[in-house]
Amino acid sequence: MTSTPRQYPGATPAQWLEGARPHTWANAVAPVLAGTAAATLAGEANPLRAVLAGIVALAMIVGVNYANDYSDGIKGTDDDRSGPLRLTGSGLVEPKKVKYAAFASFGVGAVAGIALSLLSAWWLVLVGAACIAGAWFYTGGKNPYGYRGLGEVAVFVFFGLVAVLGTEFTQTGSVSWRGLLLAIAVGSLSSAVNLANNLRDIPTDAATGKITLAVRLGDANTRRLWVGLVSLAVIVTIAISIGHWWGLIALLAVPLFVVAARPVTGGAEGRALIPVLGMLGRGMLLWSVLEFAAALLA
């Protein structure tokens, strides 16, 4: 007896866009702006290299979002989900097509990354390869590290330290103490975005064996860590501004952080936590724009 092939109705362009999770794109733009701010303070900003770094970062985050969609979908993690639409888990799109979309995005990032490395340092190709591997094995493969509570650590490293310092290095040939502090701030905020997502999904992740950091810590401690990460970014922003007082204008983003914090500190659960991701992302983007503007004014 032959089984009937599963039918996939397909996704609209709007649904493909939702699958790329635009509310997370600030995690890609912010580190490039921050790294370029550090290069600007050093008097060595390079617009072409900044644009290439931006293409790499955006391609990577779209790629990792599609990769997570695919991997979580085939593992069944998204079968009972309170967050935004997932293409694979919803049954709209054949899983392999989502996987192809992920690798197409990684391919765009790789091309831009190779061009950037040829303009700066060849060994950055190896860094880029490590970033792609990290993006895929976050939820992909037989033993994904995102299922072992290491997701926020990876976000801090790749979208904080690597992205900010890499952007600065490709423009200046070195990294600075301000660049490092900017990287810590971006990494903390990016990790907080990821943590809010995992806070929302604690019940379903725990039920499906996806042991995120939020599942390990539990609801209350996850909320405390979220507040700590955002507070660290604010403290670091003040430290960055020592001797560069224009940098304090980045604190104008703090009200958005406060708004984002209300559902977290107020005990919101499930879909009520979704606005946290968008608001914190907008706050991080505004913060990075203000840091860049402050560097131009210095």
Side-chain angles (χ1 to χ4, degrees), residues 102-178:
F103 280 103
S105 299
F106 291 147
V108 171
V111 171
I114 290 171
L116 186 57
S117 68
L118 292 175
L119 293 172
S120 50
W122 68 267
W123 51 264
L124 289 174
V125 172
L126 303 179
V127 176
C131 289
I132 292 174
W136 177 254
F137 289 109
Y138 174 48
T139 55
K142 295 182 179 179
N143 192 24
Y145 64 84
Y147 283 37
R148 299 171 62 190
L150 297 174
E152 282 71 26
V153 174
V155 169
F156 185 89
V157 170
F158 289 117
F159 286 101
L161 300 181
V162 173
V164 175
L165 296 178
T167 298
E168 180 185 17
F169 181 84
T170 57
Q171 296 179 57
T172 67
S174 62
V175 295
S176 64
W177 68 270
R178 279 202 175 92

Side-chain angles (χ1 to χ4, degrees), residues 5-195:
R6 181 173 179 178
Q7 298 297 311
Y8 297 95
T12 66
Q15 288 170 327
W16 274 103
L17 178 61
E18 185 177 357
R21 302 175 74 185
H23 64 267
T24 67
W25 293 0
N27 295 54
V29 176
V32 175
L33 285 172
T36 303
T40 300
L41 288 170
E44 298 183 55
N46 185 300
L48 173 61
R49 298 182 188 188
V51 169
L52 286 172
I55 294 172
V56 172
L58 280 170
M60 286 297 299
I61 202 160
V62 171
V64 76
N65 285 337
Y66 282 139
N68 291 345
D69 187 305
Y70 165 78
S71 296
D72 283 342
I74 63 172
K75 289 180 172 70
T77 309
D78 287 340
D79 288 350
D80 181 16
R81 178 177 171 81
S82 60
L85 173 76
R86 286 294 186 100
L87 299 168
T88 306
S90 66
L92 282 174
V93 181
E94 190 176 0
K96 69 179 182 180
K97 292 183 179 179
V98 180
K99 180 170 66 173
Y100 295 159
F103 280 103
S105 299
F106 291 147
V108 171
V111 171
I114 290 171
L116 186 57
S117 68
L118 292 175
L119 293 172
S120 50
W122 68 267
W123 51 264
L124 289 174
V125 172
L126 303 179
V127 176
C131 289
I132 292 174
W136 177 254
F137 289 109
Y138 174 48
T139 55
K142 295 182 179 179
N143 192 24
Y145 64 84
Y147 283 37
R148 299 171 62 190
L150 297 174
E152 282 71 26
V153 174
V155 169
F156 185 89
V157 170
F158 289 117
F159 286 101
L161 300 181
V162 173
V164 175
L165 296 178
T167 298
E168 180 185 17
F169 181 84
T170 57
Q171 296 179 57
T172 67
S174 62
V175 295
S176 64
W177 68 270
R178 279 202 175 92
L180 178 59
L181 290 179
L182 286 164
I184 291 171
V186 171
S188 297
L189 293 172
S190 291
S191 296
V193 172
N194 199 66
L195 190 64

Side-chain angles (χ1 to χ4, degrees), residues 3 12 20 53 73 76 82 91 105 110 114 144 160 170 185 204 210-211 217 228 244 254:
S3 58
T12 66
S82 60
S105 299
I114 290 171
T170 57
T204 54
K210 185 177 181 179
I211 309 303
L217 293 176
H244 163 52
V254 170

Side-chain angles (χ1 to χ4, degrees), residues 178-246:
R178 279 202 175 92
L180 178 59
L181 290 179
L182 286 164
I184 291 171
V186 171
S188 297
L189 293 172
S190 291
S191 296
V193 172
N194 199 66
L195 190 64
N197 184 71
N198 289 334
L199 170 64
R200 181 198 67 214
D201 293 338
I202 285 177
T204 54
D205 285 346
T208 56
K210 185 177 181 179
I211 309 303
T212 63
L213 180 61
V215 171
R216 289 185 183 277
L217 293 176
D219 185 276
N221 285 331
T222 298
R223 294 174 193 271
R224 294 188 186 102
L225 177 58
W226 188 94
V227 172
L229 287 169
V230 176
S231 298
L232 175 61
V234 174
I235 293 169
V236 170
T237 299
I238 297 171
I240 293 167
S241 304
I242 295 175
H244 163 52
W245 302 113
W246 277 111

